[in-house]
RNA sequence: GGGUUGCUAGCUCAGCGGUAGAGCACUCGGCUUUUAACCGAUUGGUCCUGGGUUCGAAUCCCAGGCGACCCA
């Protein structure tokens, strides 16, 4: 199907022969489509305003008559019609180009990018338009746009060729504009409170700070195997040791895991650490940041997600993991003396896959994931986790066996995770060594001991509250997007070409 | 990992064992108030790939590829 393309290359060539550059250098606009639509909303049909405006954008649609043409022009803000009258264009451009109007008819296509100068007028039929006096073709497009009516709906194509998706589905651009506003709002909020953003390494010799399988890579010059970070936690804590009291990093994290509507192997988190604070402070901060971002982006705290009404008004519900599980299953895991007792009760309550679990804490967590998580629609802090699943959190000040940790759930999804950070280097070493042992025993989500991190802790870290927020999931919530791929501009997809060169160590 | 499902023209889709189709887009002709412009004519295909069954396969079967949704 190179016919269309060949025709357009030929048109570009014709433009060159006419002394025009089909790939121009610059254009100065004085207006945008949306601003004009707003400013002249009350202009009556058939009325023209004698102002000169300059605008540029992509031709989305062409309706061409013998001596008159209507183009739909799209810029980043929206669309506006071009009213192209042969007489007017020839009167203005005719001296230099006697075929100016015909060239517009014959050498432009839907998809081309064009600059236009003219006056503002509302046509007899009521469409606000720019009545063109002159135009300049800025970029000749060689490929046809998708069907002007049905657009681009093939999901795979939309992801693989997101630029086309963005051209023809304006709501996609709205989503990414909103996502940018979310991250900007969060940074502004933190900046105003004297948090500073410090960039920590993506390439690391030890992956740590989370339970996840890392991507492995190799640095030639130092002959080191390296990992892409799975969290920013351990380096941000080093900064706290170093004397910073309020730090954060909003950036990309990599986990070598599957793809789903909630997971992409690279995603964005923000981790925030505040010295002399604890997880109660972090709960308040989580609420404040989310509320601030929602108000900035949506102007309201009463939002709708996939048809469900969500109220972000703080304070949010807080409930311990034990109580949440007890409410849902009737089982009180705090009451068990032995692992077997807990397993039996869990199985009785219809919780699957607990037979091999090594601790009551893991069973509790499993019960939570199976019976509670998906029902946490309104923002809810689940607090006080078992120590077994929280190797970086400080022991609870009053509840043995638990740590001071919370996770935030909204629309059934974990959206934030936070602790009073563990600052005892001896305790921390024991817990990391247990993780390393688990890795040695085959747990792919466990990682080795980061000795340098422990050294840092031994120099002394102040009491610290830490918080991680999943930016993609927050963006999904605030853009009403059902899939994480909708809020990632270029989500990971398998290569279209079958790859034969993948190394698999699986036997 | 399992289940369901999709892949046909640039786009959106129909065809489901008997000569590969429609609308839009493209090309050509006509047209000064259209907005899915209209009227007329034309053009356009690795039916995802590879095997198999059959006189005959886009269609049925097997394997694979790339997606989507659901489940553990």
């Amino acid at each position: 199907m190179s016919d269309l393309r060949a025709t357009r290359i030929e048109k570009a060539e014709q433009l060159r022969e006419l002394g025009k550059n089909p790939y121009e250098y610059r254009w100065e606009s004085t207006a945008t489509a949306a601003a004009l639509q707003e400013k002249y909303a009350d202009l009556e049909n058939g009325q023209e305003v004698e102002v000169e405006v300059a605008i540029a954008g992509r031709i989305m649609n062409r309706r061409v008559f013998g001596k008159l043409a209507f183009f739909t022009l799209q810029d980043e803000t929206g669309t506006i019609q071009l009213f192209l009258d042969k007489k007017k264009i020839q009167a203005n451009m005719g001296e230099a180009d006697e075929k100016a109007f015909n060239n517009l008819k014959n050498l432009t296509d839907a998809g081309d990018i064009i600059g236009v100068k003219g006056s503002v007028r509302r046509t007899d039929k009521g469409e606000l338009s720019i009545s063109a006096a002159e135009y300049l073709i800025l970029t000749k497009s060689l490929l046809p746009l998708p069907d002007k009516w049905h657009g681009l709906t093939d999901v795979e194509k939309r992801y693989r060729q997101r630029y086309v998706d963005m051209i023809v589905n304006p709501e996609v651009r709205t989503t990414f504009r909103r996502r940018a506003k979310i991250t900007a709002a969060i940074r502004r909020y933190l900046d105003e409170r004297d948090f500073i953003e410090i960039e920590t390494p993506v390439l690391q010799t030890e992956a740590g700070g989370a339970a996840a399988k890392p991507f492995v890579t190799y640095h030639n010059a130092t002959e080191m195997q390296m990992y892409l970070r799975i969290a920013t936690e351990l380096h941000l804590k080093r900064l706290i040791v170093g004397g910073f009291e309020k730090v954060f990093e909003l950036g990309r994290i990599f986990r070598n895991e599957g793809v789903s509507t909630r997971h992409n192997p690279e995603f964005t988190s923000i981790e925030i650490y505040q010295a002399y604070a604890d997880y109660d402070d972090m709960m308040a901060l989580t609420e404040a940041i989310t509320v601030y971002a929602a108000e900035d982006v949506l102007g309201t705290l009463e939002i709708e997600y996939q048809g469900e009404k969500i109220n972000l008004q703080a304070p949010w519900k807080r409930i311990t993991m034990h109580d949440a599980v007890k409410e849902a299953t009737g089982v009180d895991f705090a009451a068990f003396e032995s692992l077997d007792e807990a397993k039996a009760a869990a199985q009785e309550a219809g919780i699957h896959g607990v037979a091999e679990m090594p601790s009551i804490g893991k069973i509790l967590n499993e019960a939570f994931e199976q019976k509670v998580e998906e029902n946490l629609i309104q923002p809810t802090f689940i607090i006080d986790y078992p120590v077994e699943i929280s190797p970086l959190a400080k022991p609870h000040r009053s509840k043995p066996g638990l740590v001071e940790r919370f996770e935030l759930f909204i629309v059934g999804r974990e959206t934030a995770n936070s602790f009073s950070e563990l600052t005892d280097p001896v305790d921390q070493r024991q817990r990391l060594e247990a993780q390393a042992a688990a890795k040695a025993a085959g747990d792919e989500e466990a990682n080795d001991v980061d000795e340098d991190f422990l050294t840092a802790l031994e120099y002394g870290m102040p009491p610290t509250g830490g918080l991680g927020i999943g930016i993609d999931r927050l963006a999904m919530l605030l853009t009403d997007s059902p899939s994480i791929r909708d809020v990632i501009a270029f989500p990971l997809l398998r290569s279209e070409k079958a790859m034969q060169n993948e190394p698999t160590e699986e036997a």
Side-chain angles (χ1 to χ4, degrees):
Chain A
M1 160 59 237
S2 57
D3 246 22
L4 279 169
R5 189 166 165 273
T7 305
R8 292 193 178 196
I9 288 175
E10 170 58 23
K11 285 179 180 177
E13 205 40 53
Q14 286 181 46
L15 285 169
R16 285 198 178 94
E17 283 164 15
L18 293 166
K20 302 174 195 307
N21 187 341
Y23 300 99
E24 271 294 348
Y25 289 89
R26 87 184 286 276
W27 174 265
E28 195 133 347
S29 287
T30 62
T32 64
L36 290 174
Q37 296 284 8
E38 193 186 334
K39 183 170 180 186
Y40 295 104
D42 296 329
L43 191 64
E44 287 184 19
N45 291 6
Q47 292 290 301
E48 182 155 350
V49 187
E50 281 308 320
V51 289
E52 191 191 85
V53 299
I55 196 166
R58 191 183 295 274
I59 300 169
M60 297 305 289
N61 196 2
R62 304 182 343 130
R63 295 175 291 282
V64 180
F65 297 76
K67 294 169 182 165
L68 180 69
F70 302 91
F71 289 3
T72 303
L73 188 80
Q74 173 173 280
D75 68 9
E76 188 184 335
T77 67
T79 62
I80 190 165
Q81 179 170 266
L82 302 181
F83 180 90
L84 305 159
D85 176 4
K86 180 170 186 177
K87 236 185 232 174
K88 180 168 178 177
I89 288 172
Q90 288 307 136
N92 284 279
M93 298 177 70
E95 209 162 304
D97 184 354
E98 59 184 16
K99 289 188 173 163
F101 182 79
N102 283 341
N103 290 339
L104 197 61
K105 266 173 68 175
N106 298 327
L107 299 181
T108 69
D109 293 283
D112 290 354
I113 294 168
I114 189 173
V116 175
K117 289 180 186 170
S119 53
V120 175
R121 115 181 240 175
R122 191 174 291 280
T123 62
D124 296 346
K125 296 286 166 63
E127 186 73 34
L128 188 71
S129 308
I130 292 169
S131 173
E134 50 185 296
Y135 71 89
L136 182 64
I137 296 169
L138 301 173
T139 294
K140 186 69 201 160
S141 165
L142 300 184
L143 296 172
L145 292 178
D147 190 288
K148 65 187 169 190
W149 184 243
H150 298 98
L152 185 67
T153 60
D154 183 283
V155 196
E156 183 173 359
K157 193 148 292 182
R158 289 184 55 200
Y159 292 145
R160 284 197 197 280
Q161 294 189 275
R162 185 69 102 171
Y163 38 89
V164 181
D165 190 25
M166 289 169 171
I167 291 169
V168 298
N169 295 320
E171 68 278 8
V172 175
R173 276 179 284 135
T174 302
T175 294
F176 290 107
R177 201 173 296 118
R178 253 187 224 176
R179 179 178 172 132
K181 285 192 81 170
I182 292 166
T183 53
I186 292 172
R187 285 193 162 107
R188 191 181 329 120
Y189 181 93
L190 292 169
D191 180 59
E192 284 168 359
R193 284 154 188 80
D194 300 323
F195 284 84
I196 64 168
E197 180 165 23
I198 296 184
E199 294 174 274
T200 65
V202 171
L203 292 174
Q204 308 182 341
T205 50
E206 298 290 352
K213 188 176 178 183
F215 283 91
V216 183
T217 187
Y218 185 79
H219 182 222
N220 293 337
T222 54
E223 300 181 331
M224 282 195 296
Q225 172 173 289
M226 302 197 81
Y227 303 97
L228 302 192
R229 67 183 178 192
I230 56 174
T232 48
E233 175 147 0
L234 301 186
H235 283 88
L236 289 170
K237 284 181 179 172
R238 284 170 168 89
L239 294 169
I240 298 288
V241 170
F244 291 102
E245 295 177 4
K246 290 174 161 185
V247 295
F248 73 97
E249 181 174 10
L250 194 162
R252 205 69 59 84
I253 303 294
F254 306 84
R255 295 186 182 174
N256 206 337
E257 294 164 0
V259 171
S260 77
T261 50
R262 289 178 299 273
H263 299 90
N264 195 64
E266 54 177 306
F267 62 99
T268 302
S269 80
I270 182 170
E271 287 192 33
I272 306 168
Y273 292 84
Q274 181 176 351
Y276 310 110
D278 65 11
Y279 77 144
D280 275 313
D281 298 310
M282 292 299 107
M283 271 183 256
L285 183 61
T286 307
E287 288 171 342
I289 286 175
T290 309
V291 163
Y292 185 83
E295 282 180 334
D296 190 67
V297 174
L298 300 174
T300 177
L301 298 178
E302 313 250 321
I303 67 171
E304 196 169 305
Y305 183 78
Q306 302 294 298
E308 199 120 34
K309 290 203 186 328
I310 309 295
N311 187 350
L312 295 178
Q313 188 71 52
W316 299 334
K317 182 180 178 185
R318 299 176 186 196
I319 181 170
T320 66
M321 184 179 257
H322 276 97
D323 286 347
V325 169
K326 198 160 113 188
E327 272 183 20
T329 66
V331 181
D332 183 1
F333 280 88
F336 299 124
E337 302 280 319
S338 76
L339 183 58
D340 288 340
E341 237 181 304
K343 274 185 194 170
Q347 282 162 338
E348 180 79 8
I351 295 143
H352 314 288
V354 299
E356 303 298 314
M357 294 209 162
S359 69
I360 297 177
K362 290 221 168 174
I363 296 170
L364 170 68
N365 188 54
E366 193 63 29
F368 173 77
E369 288 181 1
Q370 287 182 31
K371 300 294 181 186
V372 181
E373 188 167 338
E374 65 178 347
N375 299 318
L376 299 174
I377 305 302
Q378 300 301 320
T380 305
F381 290 118
I382 297 295
I383 64 177
D384 297 344
Y385 280 59
V387 65
E388 301 94 302
I389 58 167
S390 315
L392 299 163
K394 191 172 260 184
H396 197 283
R397 65 195 77 183
S398 61
K399 299 177 183 170
L402 300 184
V403 294
E404 295 197 355
R405 172 181 183 186
F406 72 80
E407 288 186 321
L408 168 66
F409 291 84
I410 310 178
V411 295
R413 289 198 282 258
E414 179 201 337
T415 305
N417 181 23
S418 166
F419 335 124
S420 296
E421 300 296 340
L422 179 57
T423 51
D424 175 347
V426 175
D427 189 355
Q428 184 68 86
R429 172 173 292 282
Q430 285 171 359
R431 298 211 218 162
L432 292 184
E433 283 177 349
Q435 293 292 304
K439 180 183 177 181
D443 184 346
E444 291 185 323
E445 293 193 344
N447 294 289
D448 289 322
V449 177
D450 184 336
E451 286 293 341
D452 182 69
F453 169 65
L454 289 173
T455 300
L457 279 194
E458 291 191 7
Y459 277 96
M461 181 164 100
T464 297
L467 166 64
I469 300 174
I471 296 296
D472 308 275
R473 291 179 180 182
L474 184 60
M476 288 167 70
L477 179 72
L478 298 182
T479 60
D480 196 16
S481 299
S483 168
I484 195 170
R485 287 176 222 112
D486 297 325
V487 299
I488 293 177
F490 303 99
L492 183 132
L493 294 175
R494 246 186 209 96
S495 168
E496 285 177 285
K497 292 166 201 146
M499 308 205 332
Q500 300 300 334
N501 58 345
E502 42 166 333
T504 40
E505 69 275 15
E506 259 91 342

